[in-house]
Amino acid sequence: MKKLTLLLLLLACFQMQSQTVLGKWKTIDDKTGETKSIVEVYENNGKVYGKVIEIFDATKRNRKCEKCEGTDKNKPVLGLVIIKGLTKDDDEHNGGKILDPETGNLYKCILKISGKDKLEVRGYMGFALIGRSQTWVRVK
């Protein structure tokens, strides 16, 4: 019985470690609790990126990022890369940026798996203590 318990515990630990930030995630607004979009998180040249692949509110599907700067200015939000250049650091991804298409603001970003099929997304300026967090849910 002890061996079976140990085996199940090891399998559970392995499953938690094998979860990845890569995949499709349903974004949930931290202020309203409303589901807003689906972001696909992917890897390119060892860095992690995320782009908006679906917007649930039909009235916002054709919006452009008017307040964005640089190459993102006036690009359609649908298809826009909003997570840029994160690298894996232990159990989280950081060192890159996340774009808020509504304000055009670019923030430092941390992504971290939180439980089964949940992703903690933290955007901040300066110190990680000062910022906003959202919990995104994996799309199956």
Side-chain angles (χ1 to χ4, degrees):
M1 187 65 168
K2 286 183 183 180
K3 288 182 181 179
L4 179 60
T5 304
L6 180 60
L7 179 62
L8 291 174
L9 184 61
L10 287 172
L11 286 173
C13 288
F14 178 73
Q15 183 181 15
M16 286 297 287
Q17 289 179 341
S18 67
Q19 288 188 18
T20 176
V21 299
L22 304 180
K24 295 178 182 175
W25 299 92
K26 187 183 314 181
T27 68
I28 301 170
D29 190 287
D30 58 308
K31 293 178 180 175
T32 66
E34 175 184 346
T35 56
K36 296 177 79 174
S37 64
I38 293 179
V39 171
E40 182 174 17
V41 178
Y42 61 95
E43 188 174 350
N44 187 8
N45 292 324
K47 303 259 184 185
V48 170
Y49 299 85
K51 71 177 174 182
V52 179
I53 62 168
E54 187 174 341
I55 297 173
F56 295 120
D57 184 344
T59 64
K60 295 183 179 181
R61 286 191 188 131
N62 295 320
R63 285 189 47 215
K64 295 191 178 193
C65 196
E66 296 169 357
K67 296 180 181 179
C68 291
E69 295 181 3
T71 58
D72 291 331
K73 184 156 185 70
N74 292 320
K75 278 190 175 175
V77 173
L78 188 60
L80 189 64
V81 176
I82 62 167
I83 297 173
K84 302 176 182 197
L86 277 64
T87 55
K88 186 161 178 51
D89 182 15
D90 289 328
D91 63 342
E92 66 183 33
H93 287 74
N94 58 40
K97 304 281 184 174
I98 188 165
L99 172 69
D100 179 349
E102 293 195 22
T103 65
N105 292 332
L106 202 56
Y107 301 96
K108 293 179 182 178
C109 182
I110 298 172
L111 300 181
K112 186 174 182 178
I113 295 291
S114 171
K116 188 174 181 346
D117 297 326
K118 292 191 178 181
L119 181 67
E120 291 296 320
V121 180
R122 179 128 184 103
Y124 64 96
M125 292 181 138
F127 300 100
L129 294 173
I130 304 169
R132 288 177 49 193
S133 292
Q134 292 183 346
T135 301
W136 295 358
V137 179
R138 188 179 299 276
V139 175
K140 295 182 181 183

